[in-house]
Amino acid sequence: MNAFTLLPFIVLIAAMFLMTRSAKKKQQQAANMRNEMQPGSGVRTIGGMYATVKEVNEDTVLLDAGPGIDLLFAKNAIGAVLSDDEYNRIVHGIEHDLKSDADIVPDDASSLTETDESADAAAAASDDKAVDLGKKDATEDEADEAAEAAEAKADEEPKKTDGDTDAK
């Protein structure tokens, strides 16, 4: 055999060696992660269930999945040990932001522009009745009065329900 026929076999063996080495490295990382579990840690199982570690044994883990619900899992069934922030974000919907110590921006901008004096003046102004400074034509006044009369007449008429009809 010459060197060219051996080359594909050498490349194949090297690729298999590299793949098994990376798989072993991942398995070792997963085992270390499972060994670092402590009671109170938030975890996700390989089935996608989120729970809190209650007790860690040699091969099993007792998980608290809710009030009064304790489940016994094999250690190998733990897919990930989560940080406290990540667990609270996923399970409880609590967002913990590093900037949470900063001031929170309000929904409206009025509190950003008002001072105590302007807020007092605005409150005093809102107590007064609105003053109409515009001129109205006589035709507009008559139209307003006609609309008010039509509304009053509609209110006086009895309302019909779905079952009542005028036909006999």
Side-chain angles (χ1 to χ4, degrees):
M1 290 191 161
N2 66 28
F4 291 114
T5 56
L6 291 177
L7 185 63
F9 292 113
I10 294 172
V11 170
L12 183 63
I13 291 172
M16 289 175 57
F17 173 76
L18 291 174
M19 284 191 279
T20 57
R21 188 174 139 204
S22 67
K24 283 182 182 180
K25 193 181 271 188
K26 286 181 182 180
Q27 286 177 348
Q28 184 64 36
Q29 287 176 345
N32 288 341
M33 179 245 342
R34 290 182 187 111
N35 290 332
E36 291 175 4
M37 278 188 298
Q38 297 175 355
S41 300
V43 295
R44 183 184 66 238
T45 66
I46 57 174
M49 185 182 74
Y50 293 92
T52 305
V53 175
K54 193 170 186 179
E55 183 181 310
V56 180
N57 299 315
E58 190 172 329
D59 294 330
T60 61
V61 180
L62 185 64
L63 300 179
D64 180 16
I69 302 173
D70 294 337
L71 304 169
L72 186 64
F73 275 83
K75 266 190 176 179
N76 292 339
I78 304 301
V81 177
L82 307 172
S83 68
D84 290 340
D85 290 340
E86 184 178 7
Y87 180 78
N88 287 330
R89 180 182 60 80
I90 293 170
V91 175
H92 303 294
I94 300 171
E95 292 285 338
H96 179 73
D97 191 10
L98 297 175
K99 299 176 185 176
S100 64
D101 297 335
D103 292 336
I104 297 175
V105 178
D107 290 339
D108 61 340
S110 63
S111 64
L112 298 175
T113 57
E114 288 183 357
T115 61
D116 290 338
E117 295 170 6
S118 64
D120 293 339
S126 65
D127 292 341
D128 298 336
K129 288 188 176 182
V131 178
D132 185 18
L133 299 177
K135 292 183 179 179
K136 282 190 175 182
D137 293 337
T139 56
E140 288 179 7
D141 287 337
E142 292 171 3
D144 290 341
E145 290 173 4
E148 289 174 7
E151 288 177 12
K153 185 176 180 183
D155 290 339
E156 291 173 4
E157 292 179 7
K159 303 286 184 194
K160 293 183 182 179
T161 60
D162 290 337
D164 295 340
T165 59
D166 291 335
K168 292 187 180 178

